[in-house]
Amino acid sequence: MERDNNIRHYILQSSPIVDSALVPIGHILTFQDVSQERFYVKEMNRQNVTLQERNQALDLIRQELSEANRKLEELALTDSLTNCYNRRYLTQHLNHEVITNIQYKTPFSLLLLDIDYFKAINDRYGHVIGDEVLVRTAEAVKQSIRSTDILTRYGGEEFMIYLPHTEHDLANQIAERVRTAVESNHIMVDHEIMQVSITISIGILSFEDFEVVHVPDNPEGI
């Protein structure tokens, strides 16, 4: 049934009429208009669907925001040129682990790498080749260290490698492997009929004799 172009909803109930002998003599029909109730139910369902869609959209925004924050954090802790961790990561994340190692007398080592004559490379071939040298050096180092080792670009042409659970003898072996990998990684120069051969200097600092180790008040000084 329609009224004012709106669909109306009714509940029809039929009750039998009987005489004293319980013989049916007719029926009573009642109509109950439930259009308003149906409208409220449909409206509530519509709002629930809208709310669910908005919640899904908010969840998606939260996921995108979380991913964006993760990427920002990664950018803040990563060197954009070499994709190594940067000095900020070293000071913020490794210092706590270094101090913990000292407290629990867990041996570890640090390697400090410096590209030899890097300024001369920049002066002769330009900064584009200089950047390529940094990138290729970082790649060679990454391929020659363990998955648990952490490579950071400490500054300029300097890199530092944190070697957990590593005493001096093993650190020396890893340093030699790194040196060989870098020096065998020749870089072509476009405007020269030659290759640039890179050499590095490596310093090793190992913590294994904890009877004489002193934890500095300023961990960044490690």
Side-chain angles (χ1 to χ4, degrees):
M1 180 180 298
E2 295 186 4
R3 181 184 300 172
D4 298 330
N5 296 325
N6 292 325
I7 298 177
R8 311 295 297 181
H9 299 272
Y10 295 89
I11 295 177
L12 173 63
Q13 293 180 323
S14 175
S15 300
I17 302 173
V18 296
D19 58 15
S20 58
L22 301 179
V23 177
I25 59 176
H27 289 81
I28 298 177
L29 300 179
T30 59
F31 293 86
Q32 180 182 0
D33 188 347
V34 294
S35 302
Q36 194 70 18
E37 288 81 354
R38 286 291 296 271
F39 170 79
Y40 288 146
V41 169
K42 291 177 67 175
E43 181 64 17
M44 184 176 65
N45 290 337
R46 186 188 67 80
Q47 292 181 1
N48 285 339
V49 170
T50 301
L51 182 61
Q52 186 176 20
E53 291 174 349
R54 290 179 178 175
N55 287 337
Q56 291 174 347
L58 285 175
D59 287 339
L60 180 59
I61 291 174
R62 279 194 291 266
Q63 292 175 8
E64 292 175 347
L65 182 60
S66 176
E67 179 65 16
N69 286 335
R70 186 192 65 78
K71 289 182 178 179
L72 284 174
E73 178 70 12
E74 183 176 312
L75 287 173
L77 300 176
T78 305
D79 176 58
S80 59
L81 177 63
T82 61
N83 288 325
C84 300
Y85 289 115
N86 58 22
R87 186 168 181 169
R88 180 183 176 189
Y89 177 89
L90 183 71
T91 56
Q92 288 189 357
H93 290 254
L94 292 189
N95 284 333
H96 174 72
E97 185 169 351
V98 166
I99 293 173
T100 300
N101 286 341
I102 294 175
Q103 290 174 341
Y104 290 96
K105 298 184 179 182
T106 303
F108 68 95
S109 297
L110 296 171
L111 302 183
L112 182 61
L113 287 62
D114 186 271
I115 299 176
D116 297 330
Y117 310 111
F118 184 72
K119 183 179 183 303
I121 294 173
N122 268 334
D123 292 343
R124 179 175 180 181
Y125 302 109
H127 290 283
V128 173
I129 297 300
D131 287 348
E132 180 69 13
V133 167
L134 291 171
V135 171
R136 293 284 297 276
T137 298
E139 290 174 349
V141 173
K142 288 177 183 177
Q143 293 173 3
S144 59
I145 60 178
R146 304 165 301 183
S147 60
T148 54
D149 301 331
I150 297 177
L151 173 64
T152 62
R153 185 182 177 192
Y154 196 68
E157 68 275 19
E158 295 179 336
F159 296 85
M160 183 174 286
I161 309 174
Y162 168 67
L163 307 175
H165 304 281
T166 305
E167 297 180 345
H168 181 78
D169 289 345
L170 179 56
N172 192 58
Q173 295 175 24
I174 295 174
E176 180 60 23
R177 189 164 67 231
V178 168
R179 185 192 65 79
T180 302
V182 172
E183 293 183 3
S184 62
N185 187 28
H186 301 288
I187 299 173
M188 290 295 301
V189 180
D190 292 339
H191 60 282
E192 298 275 354
I193 309 176
M194 62 177 297
Q195 296 177 327
V196 177
S197 180
I198 306 302
T199 62
I200 58 175
S201 299
I202 304 178
I204 304 175
L205 177 63
S206 297
F207 290 83
E208 49 188 322
D209 183 5
F210 294 98
E211 296 303 322
V212 296
V213 169
H214 168 66
V215 181
D217 295 331
N218 176 17
E220 192 170 343
I222 293 178

